[in-house]
Amino acid sequence: MMMMKMKMKMFASRDIRDLHHLEEEVQRLQEVQERSANQIALLQEVQERSANQIALLQEVQERSANHIALLQQQLANKTQDIERLQAELQSQQDYEEIKTELRTRAPTHTDDDVLPAPSDSADHDPVIQSELKVHHFCGKEEPASDIPVENMRSSSSSSSSSVVFIKEECEDEEEEEEELDTSSVARRVRETLQKHRVGQRVFAHCVLGLSQGTVSDILARPKPWRSLTRRGREPFLRMKSFLADEDSVQTLTVVQQRLRGIVPWARSPQMSSDQLIRNILDQNRSELMDVDSRSQRGSEDVIRNILHQAKHEMHVTSEAPEEVHYGTLSPSVQSPADFVQSIIRKVKCEMDEDTHPSASPAPLSIITHSFPTDAQPRTQVCVGSCEDEILESLDLDTVSITQRVKEALVVNNIGQRVFGEEVLGLTQSSVSELLSRPKPWTKLSLKGKENFIRMHRWLRDPHSVQRLTDTDQRARLKRDSQRLSDGFCLSDGSGAFEATKRPRVVLSAHEKDSLRATYQREPYPSQHTIERLAAQLALQTSTVSNWFYNYRSRIRRDGLTEPVQTRTVRSPASSSSVSSGLLSIKQEACDPEMEEDTHQHTRVSVAVQSVTKAEDLNELV
DNA sequence: TAACAGTCAATACC
DNA sequence: GGTATTGACTGTTA
């Protein structure tokens, strides 16, 4: 019995152990099952993600295909355009021959012949008559000549576009300048322009050789004669000559009408460059067709003037990235044929894929970009006509880019100046602004976006830092050797850089307070307010309006907060970090009011001697 | 055509 | 000597 009991106990305990085992097995199995379930879920998730990625890739692929199709279409269009332009060019080739023939047939004249005697037909043609008078504005008559239009320009003047109308310099008048009532001159000009419905732009281009914006400002806020520099007085002298010539307005009206049909500012926004070129060529052709019924000389001048203006405008508009200075005309553009060819070259260039790498910084329109953001697919394209479209689709993180650039510059000991000049084609101050206060991508204009694309490209280039370091070292060496060879004997007063730099107005804290207080009440002050404020603070009205432009602009830039206004006025002597031996500093009062308050209104007029300018230039080389 | 964006040059600041 | 600020300017845009 006992044995039986013991056996049963043994069995029971074995069963219990088995049960434990079984329980453990079950638990293990449950754990395994759980893990498997997790893994399955994970796999499903991965599968889902993969599916998404595949879908994304398919979408990208689709978009790329569309883009390629679009580019191919554009390429086809461009090719067609080129063919058409080439055909037109072919049809225009006789233009040069006609011109040559015109020259041969035109009566020869000496330098004493102010203008060739117009033919009978021209005598009775008011248009030609008025256009023949365009050379008389300064009381000096310009010798009619056969020189190419481009050569009619002054080689040094920045106001080059006024050649159609006036002789560049009026030296004789400037020798004995009488004091002009600039307000009256400006007012009379405004009245005249309004009366004859001549736009400021035409007036600005033809008479003053300035941009419309500048002329608008000059006319709205003429500075007093005494506070104008020699350069600043020039437009007023020109305006005076303009007002003095009875035929000038008529001439301007005629030219305005003639230009209206072909120049870019009058074209519709939809009009393409090609259409514009065609218009110019058509205009040119119709003028040539008319040649027999007009004075040979006069017609040629008309055609030449119109072409010159149109070419100038085209150049300024289409070649802007490289030719930023107003009123410059590429010397390579010598004839309508050359002009059209240059456009063809430009179009071809747009279609090239990175085959013509240019010196840094390259104009954006002829470089090949790789435009990835970190989260976006790469699209390697040639920017050109599709540039806007591509830029639209981009979304670069400007803050991150500037941050990385700043770090790279600091780590590699590269200065903002070198970086700006070599990579962006900007000055140190512009780089500083860009890096310290990058605008959001969406707030940037196309031009503004260019800088960030260049920075982005620079960051991606593995050799960029080394190249810049080398450049920096070379520049330093060059500067040092230049200094050694030049010594410090450049301030002999005979240098070519004797031209004085423009004086800089430094607003006092009190002036800024007043301006800011006015801004709070009236962010867009009326002309009356500007004048009152200017008088109150003894400032130029242009200084006041510039301050408001800048303040508004910088408020926009810095968000809703007020722009940084940390600088306070200090005495010029103590603030100048340059040796007083190099600078001639004088304080000047703008007007009698100013003299009463000179402790607050210090104007520093800095006449920089040649040594400073020479050094600056050497540094830039 | 006024207002704007982008930029420069002078100069203040570190 | 490098960087930041700011008044002024040019060409563009609404």
Side-chain angles (χ1 to χ4, degrees):
Chain A
M1 193 65 184
M2 280 291 282
M3 282 293 284
M4 281 288 282
K5 275 183 181 174
M6 279 178 69
K7 272 187 181 174
M8 279 182 73
K9 265 187 184 173
M10 271 177 63
F11 283 130
S13 65
R14 200 184 297 162
D15 284 347
I16 287 167
R17 274 205 304 275
D18 288 346
L19 267 172
H20 277 303
H21 278 287
L22 279 170
E23 274 176 9
E24 280 171 12
E25 282 295 316
V26 167
Q27 259 182 358
R28 265 205 298 276
L29 279 170
Q30 278 175 343
E31 277 173 20
V32 168
Q33 195 178 9
E34 211 168 297
R35 261 187 256 144
S36 301
N38 284 342
Q39 281 179 345
I40 287 167
L42 208 65
L43 279 170
Q44 279 173 342
E45 200 177 321
V46 167
Q47 197 177 8
E48 211 168 295
R49 271 196 226 153
S50 303
N52 284 342
Q53 281 180 345
I54 288 167
L56 203 66
L57 281 170
Q58 280 172 343
E59 196 185 320
V60 167
Q61 199 175 10
E62 208 170 300
R63 271 164 55 185
S64 302
N66 288 341
H67 209 91
I68 288 167
L70 188 74
L71 287 170
Q72 280 173 340
Q73 180 63 46
Q74 284 175 343
L75 183 67
N77 289 344
K78 292 281 181 195
T79 311
Q80 276 182 359
D81 288 346
I82 286 173
E83 282 168 6
R84 197 181 59 247
L85 282 169
Q86 277 174 336
E88 290 210 26
L89 179 64
Q90 195 70 30
S91 69
Q92 292 291 318
Q93 271 182 344
D94 59 340
Y95 175 72
E96 289 299 322
E97 289 165 22
I98 294 170
K99 259 181 45 173
T100 312
E101 196 185 328
L102 274 169
R103 287 199 191 99
T104 317
R105 286 164 62 190
T108 54
H109 52 276
T110 66
D111 285 348
D112 295 333
D113 296 329
V114 171
L115 283 169
S119 68
D120 289 345
S121 59
D123 274 338
H124 298 101
D125 186 335
V127 172
I128 291 177
Q129 279 304 298
S130 68
E131 282 176 343
L132 286 175
K133 285 175 183 166
V134 301
H135 307 289
H136 293 239
F137 276 22
C138 289
K140 285 175 88 175
E141 294 163 331
E142 181 167 65
S145 69
D146 292 328
I147 55 172
V149 199
E150 292 74 24
N151 294 347
M152 290 164 70
R153 308 169 64 232
S154 159
S155 60
S156 60
S157 172
S158 61
S159 54
S160 53
S161 60
S162 62
V163 290
V164 179
F165 260 13
I166 55 174
K167 185 142 178 72
E168 287 298 320
E169 299 295 337
C170 305
E171 297 90 349
D172 291 348
E173 280 192 14
E174 286 178 5
E175 287 305 317
E176 291 182 18
E177 285 169 0
E178 55 180 290
E179 190 168 329
L180 283 183
D181 180 354
T182 52
S183 300
S184 161
V185 170
R187 181 180 46 78
R188 282 164 58 210
V189 166
R190 287 187 78 130
E191 285 168 3
T192 308
L193 296 182
Q194 274 173 1
K195 188 176 163 191
H196 294 88
R197 300 181 63 197
V198 173
Q200 279 187 358
R201 190 182 292 275
V202 168
F203 177 72
H205 277 259
C206 297
V207 179
L208 301 184
L210 296 173
S211 66
Q212 175 275 324
T214 307
V215 171
S216 168
D217 193 52
I218 286 176
L219 292 179
R221 290 174 280 278
K223 286 183 181 176
W225 182 255
R226 282 177 183 278
S227 65
L228 286 167
T229 62
R230 191 173 184 79
R231 190 171 156 226
R233 287 176 179 178
E234 219 175 272
F236 289 97
L237 289 170
R238 285 167 189 258
M239 286 195 273
K240 188 190 160 200
S241 298
F242 168 78
L243 290 168
D245 190 323
E246 289 176 1
D247 296 323
S248 56
V249 184
Q250 190 195 346
T251 309
L252 212 54
T253 314
V254 169
V255 175
Q256 159 110 42
Q257 284 166 356
R258 283 181 162 255
L259 290 172
R260 195 163 274 149
I262 59 169
V263 293
W265 67 69
R267 67 173 162 160
S268 66
Q270 293 81 19
M271 189 188 284
S272 66
S273 297
D274 294 342
Q275 285 172 303
L276 182 63
I277 296 164
R278 273 203 297 279
N279 281 356
I280 293 167
L281 292 173
D282 288 346
Q283 176 94 4
N284 175 19
R285 205 166 18 221
S286 64
E287 295 286 356
L288 282 169
M289 297 269 283
D290 209 21
V291 74
D292 287 335
S293 62
R294 292 175 177 229
S295 152
Q296 292 163 357
R297 176 80 245 162
S299 293
E300 193 181 2
D301 280 345
V302 170
I303 294 162
R304 190 179 280 169
N305 287 344
I306 290 170
L307 266 172
H308 171 251
Q309 188 78 5
K311 280 159 65 181
H312 164 73
E313 292 298 335
M314 267 305 297
H315 181 76
V316 168
T317 310
S318 61
E319 304 289 332
E322 285 174 297
E323 205 74 58
V324 291
H325 292 292
Y326 183 78
T328 51
L329 185 66
S330 166
S332 62
V333 181
Q334 295 290 336
S335 66
D338 284 344
F339 175 54
V340 175
Q341 272 180 336
S342 75
I343 298 296
I344 291 172
R345 274 198 299 275
K346 181 174 161 54
V347 173
K348 276 183 175 170
C349 181
E350 283 178 0
M351 299 194 313
D352 279 346
E353 290 206 0
D354 216 14
T355 50
H356 306 296
S358 60
S360 175
L364 199 60
S365 58
I366 59 167
I367 52 180
T368 304
H369 290 300
S370 186
F371 283 154
T373 62
D374 293 339
Q376 284 180 325
R378 290 184 179 191
T379 316
Q380 187 130 50
V381 292
C382 169
V383 286
S385 59
C386 48
E387 183 179 297
D388 295 6
E389 186 188 324
I390 288 157
L391 285 177
E392 284 295 319
S393 67
L394 272 178
D395 184 17
L396 296 184
D397 182 350
T398 55
V399 176
S400 155
I401 288 174
T402 51
Q403 193 60 43
R404 282 184 288 155
V405 167
K406 277 194 277 191
E407 281 165 14
L409 295 183
V410 169
V411 167
N412 297 285
N413 195 24
I414 298 168
Q416 287 182 349
R417 187 175 57 168
V418 170
F419 178 74
E421 285 168 6
E422 296 298 320
V423 179
L424 304 178
L426 298 175
T427 59
Q428 174 271 323
S429 54
S430 300
V431 172
S432 171
E433 272 195 282
L434 265 182
L435 294 181
S436 56
R437 278 183 291 276
K439 278 187 181 179
W441 179 259
T442 49
K443 296 275 167 63
L444 288 164
S445 69
L446 285 179
K447 197 171 180 221
K449 284 175 180 172
E450 266 189 42
N451 292 326
F452 288 94
I453 290 168
R454 289 207 170 97
M455 284 193 261
H456 187 74
R457 283 163 57 81
W458 183 78
L459 285 167
R460 289 167 45 80
D461 182 352
H463 309 296
S464 58
V465 169
Q466 188 54 49
R467 269 203 299 270
L468 219 50
T469 313
D470 294 346
T471 311
D472 197 12
Q473 279 173 356
R474 276 200 302 275
R476 282 170 200 271
L477 282 171
K478 196 167 182 177
R479 275 208 302 273
D480 292 346
S481 63
Q482 193 74 46
R483 283 207 190 99
L484 280 173
S485 63
D486 287 353
F488 294 92
C489 307
L490 287 173
S491 53
D492 59 2
S494 62
F497 307 115
E498 193 61 26
T500 54
K501 291 182 183 177
R502 66 163 187 266
R504 182 181 172 82
V505 173
V506 182
L507 299 173
S508 69
H510 162 71
E511 287 164 337
K512 284 181 183 174
D513 285 346
S514 299
L515 289 163
R516 274 197 291 268
T518 308
Y519 175 87
Q520 295 302 330
R521 292 193 305 273
E522 207 179 338
Y524 291 83
S526 65
Q527 186 58 32
H528 174 71
T529 306
I530 287 176
E531 279 166 13
R532 185 178 49 76
L533 206 51
Q536 195 181 319
L537 300 173
L539 294 169
Q540 300 292 330
T541 51
S542 61
T543 300
V544 175
S545 56
N546 277 333
W547 186 89
F548 275 91
Y549 287 142
N550 286 324
Y551 196 72
R552 286 196 299 264
S553 163
R554 282 158 192 161
I555 276 191
R556 273 190 298 276
R557 180 192 66 187
D558 298 340
L560 296 173
T561 57
E562 289 201 349
V564 182
Q565 297 272 343
T566 55
R567 207 180 275 175
T568 51
V569 153
R570 288 159 194 258
S571 114
S574 66
S575 65
S576 173
S577 60
V578 187
S579 158
S580 59
L582 300 179
L583 300 173
S584 145
I585 299 171
K586 65 170 183 175
Q587 293 186 7
E588 57 187 30
C590 291
D591 59 27
E593 264 186 48
M594 171 96 179
E595 285 184 6
E596 290 176 16
D597 200 9
T598 45
H599 65 284
Q600 284 184 340
H601 306 289
T602 305
R603 302 284 176 276
V604 185
S605 176
V606 185
V608 179
Q609 296 181 4
S610 55
V611 59
T612 317
K613 188 74 180 175
E615 279 182 4
D616 285 352
L617 285 177
N618 286 331
E619 282 173 4
L620 289 171
V621 170

